[in-house]
Amino acid sequence: MNMELSRRGFLKAAGAGVAGTTLGAMGFGEAEAAVLAHVRPFKLTTTVETRNTCPYCSVACGIIMYSKGDLRKGEQADIVHIEGDVDHPTNRGTLCPKGAALKDFVHAPTRLKHPMMRKAGSDRFEQVSWDFALDRIARLMKHDRDANFIAKNAKGVPVNRWTTTGFLAASATTNETAYATYKVVRSTGIVAFDNQARV
Amino acid sequence: MAEQSPLQPDPSMVGGVSKAPFVLPPGPLRIFTRRADRFDILASTSKLAPYLNFLGALTRAQASLVATLPALPPPDAAQIERARAAAMPPIDRASLATAPDLATTFDRLFEAAATIEMPAAAAQALSTTRQAEPGMLRAMTANVLADAIPRDSLAPHLFVAAGIQVHAARCAAALDPSTLVPIAVGVCPACGGPPGVSVVVGFSGAEGARYAVCSCCSTSWNEVRVKCIACGSTQGIGYRDTSEPGTTATVKAEVCDHCHSWIKILYQNQNPSLDPVADDVASLGLDMLMRGTDYRAAGSNPFMLGY
């Protein structure tokens, strides 16, 4: 409620002309001062609640992630809790056991954060750049497609199939991303393909 | 064969995911009684105890008023129809100021309030309000209903606002909740009043849903989480609290970087005892700390103006 700022001498009879707050005006200024003295050493901490989509399956449940600290204020943000988004029409606040354990998924030491490559003969993965990874994937796909693409079946009917490579795309995508993914993958002839557009 | 058990499976509880109701109508007797109890509990540990005790007694007077006042006439169907056609809330707050039942409510509340122990300044404000001419009382009522309380008479308006709370909650309780529709962000669908705080509830069927609570008629209505209920923005929402490391605050300030305002949010799903008015007053320290930020308070509570 906004206080009317014009001091128009309303209710002069009340003689209450000094007060800036309801507590002061009501004669509880002492208690008000005690609270003020009590809270003065306290600092405000920032938490953030962020909407997102569960990355596990194509149901794409809505989630709310709670974090301490605000990235927008230049602070470090740490996720402290994740729960279902009650306003999301798909899951209305519910989550399956995998979704309910998302916080551990986020903080897992084995979580995949960069493209990784295990070279032929090596016993471990190494981090590589996105440029390298995408070039390498494109190169290998081209080799495989050139070698195994089926343009016509036994009767000579054009089929344009590429059955030796599969493609799996993520759940937390928009309609537009799903559409573009579908167009790109199907136009190469890939048959083994699953993504959000199936749902 | 054994007789059929009186316990029958309820398939609606299995698998179905319920939709949170849009409106929680106020049960006036229940809310004022619970609020008075909550004020008493909060007063037992708070540095603000004198004020909380006073408001507890005033809220108890509100509750006993609800229990003893004669029933209101049923709401005017034609007026509700007209309001709906114009996308307005069914209770016309402006016309409440002249409602004859409101005058009775004021008389009875002020009479009961006179028996409450209070500082001299408050007692003087009460006697001024009791002796005010009808025209003056109507003007004060209009001020409260217009959310424009003159800075130099906060105390008399507190008693008027307490009376309006009783009357408006009884009017809102008489409405059919299924007929209420959203009016706008941060506007009460029953009376058009501003929210005091918002509450994240934990009761079955709406776990984790957020309800804004009207500071005038105590109707609660569903608002999407992580959204500013002052301007409707979903961008730049953050939360401020005073929790120690490792603990979780149950009363936070929801700040909006879009309109630069803040409003309290109470996590009833963490602490079911939280009351939208009593805990708003008792968490005065948060208001004091927020005064040092560049956010403007958007919550409405006639018991703690000036923050």
Side-chain angles (χ1 to χ4, degrees):
Chain A
M1 195 174 297
N2 298 317
M3 274 198 295
E4 182 64 61
L5 290 177
S6 64
R7 292 184 149 269
R8 53 181 152 146
F10 194 85
L11 268 185
K12 283 235 165 61
V18 274
T21 66
T22 305
L23 281 114
M26 291 289 289
F28 292 97
E30 213 170 294
E32 190 179 21
V35 176
L36 188 57
H38 177 66
V39 299
R40 195 164 281 139
F42 282 84
K43 287 237 173 351
L44 287 170
T45 56
T46 302
T47 51
V48 178
E49 295 177 14
T50 312
R51 289 213 146 78
N52 212 325
T53 310
C54 174
Y56 268 118
C57 80
S58 49
V59 174
C61 291
I63 56 172
I64 294 181
M65 309 187 297
Y66 295 70
S67 47
K68 289 251 187 236
D70 190 346
L71 287 178
R72 293 177 308 235
K73 310 277 178 199
E75 300 170 356
Q76 164 88 24
D78 292 315
I79 292 183
V80 291
H81 177 61
I82 294 179
E83 68 184 25
D85 179 359
V86 74
D87 301 313
H88 198 283
T90 300
N91 58 318
R92 287 187 185 147
T94 60
L95 285 176
C96 78
K98 286 187 295 177
L102 271 179
K103 191 178 69 147
D104 296 332
F105 177 83
V106 171
H107 292 309
T110 51
R111 179 180 165 191
L112 189 61
K113 294 172 182 164
H114 324 276
M116 304 287 277
M117 179 183 173
R118 200 185 69 183
K119 293 196 178 107
S122 169
D123 61 348
R124 59 196 178 84
F125 281 95
E126 290 166 40
Q127 186 178 333
V128 295
S129 72
W130 276 107
D131 277 347
F132 174 85
L134 289 170
D135 285 351
R136 177 103 179 126
I137 290 167
R139 185 72 255 161
L140 291 173
M141 283 173 77
K142 179 81 168 70
H143 283 328
D144 186 62
R145 191 169 182 273
D146 288 348
N148 298 303
F149 189 71
I150 304 167
K152 290 191 168 72
N153 67 6
K155 291 177 184 165
V157 179
V159 289
N160 294 328
R161 283 186 203 124
W162 178 15
T163 57
T164 50
T165 292
F167 197 101
L168 183 62
S171 81
T173 57
T174 59
N175 271 342
E176 290 74 15
T177 312
Y179 174 86
T181 311
Y182 200 94
K183 283 290 173 194
V184 167
V185 173
R186 280 284 187 254
S187 56
T188 64
I190 287 182
V191 179
F193 170 48
D194 194 9
N195 84 326
Q196 184 69 25
R198 179 174 57 82
V199 181
Chain B
M1 287 295 286
E3 276 185 37
Q4 205 175 28
S5 160
L7 291 175
Q8 291 299 310
D10 178 6
S12 71
M13 296 300 287
V14 182
V17 180
S18 53
K19 190 177 188 317
F22 171 56
V23 160
L24 309 176
L29 184 58
R30 178 178 49 83
I31 56 164
F32 288 119
T33 310
R34 276 195 52 155
R35 184 169 302 162
D37 292 346
R38 183 64 181 162
F39 268 123
D40 292 348
I41 291 168
L42 290 166
S44 63
T45 56
S46 172
K47 298 209 181 310
L48 204 56
Y51 192 49
L52 297 177
N53 279 323
F54 163 73
L55 287 180
L58 187 64
T59 310
R60 216 166 281 292
Q62 288 177 311
S64 66
L65 209 55
V66 170
T68 54
L69 277 173
L72 290 174
D76 178 359
Q79 142 53 32
I80 291 177
E81 200 56 46
R82 195 166 62 245
R84 168 60 75 81
M88 294 289 280
I91 297 175
D92 177 11
R93 290 213 304 161
S95 74
L96 275 190
T98 52
D101 303 284
L102 186 59
T104 322
T105 308
F106 280 147
D107 287 345
R108 301 269 296 273
L109 181 68
F110 297 160
E111 194 186 328
T115 63
I116 300 171
E117 193 186 321
M118 64 181 101
Q124 196 193 353
L126 177 60
S127 78
T128 310
T129 318
R130 286 186 83 178
Q131 287 156 18
E133 297 157 20
M136 177 68 89
L137 194 57
R138 238 189 337 268
M140 290 166 75
T141 310
N143 284 339
V144 172
L145 291 169
D147 308 316
I149 293 178
R151 182 179 283 202
D152 53 6
S153 57
L154 297 176
H157 282 84
L158 179 144
F159 294 102
V160 175
I164 292 174
Q165 281 178 352
V166 173
H167 185 68
R170 297 174 75 224
C171 290
L175 297 171
D176 176 2
S178 66
T179 62
L180 298 178
V181 295
I183 305 289
V185 171
V187 174
C188 172
C191 77
V197 298
S198 71
V199 174
V200 177
V201 299
F203 62 82
S204 178
E207 294 94 340
R210 186 256 288 266
Y211 286 86
V213 185
C214 179
S215 60
C216 178
C217 71
S218 301
T219 297
S220 299
W221 72 96
N222 188 226
E223 289 275 9
V224 166
R225 292 271 301 273
V226 203
K227 182 183 83 169
C228 173
I229 55 172
C231 76
S233 170
T234 53
Q235 304 298 315
I237 307 297
Y239 297 85
R240 302 283 184 276
D241 64 72
T242 55
S243 63
E244 305 280 323
T247 61
T248 308
T250 52
V251 178
K252 293 183 183 177
E254 187 175 66
V255 305
C256 172
D257 284 344
H258 187 254
C259 66
H260 284 278
S261 63
W262 72 275
I263 188 162
K264 264 180 210 166
I265 181 164
L266 276 48
Y267 290 81
Q268 242 173 24
N269 56 346
Q270 315 261 2
N271 178 2
S273 318
L274 293 175
D275 177 88
V277 171
D279 282 273
D280 188 13
V281 179
S283 58
L284 177 69
L286 183 58
D287 296 77
M288 288 172 166
L289 289 169
M290 286 306 292
R291 233 176 10 170
T293 67
D294 57 355
Y295 297 103
R296 187 177 53 83
S300 163
N301 186 344
F303 297 156
M304 47 190 303
L305 291 179
Y307 285 96

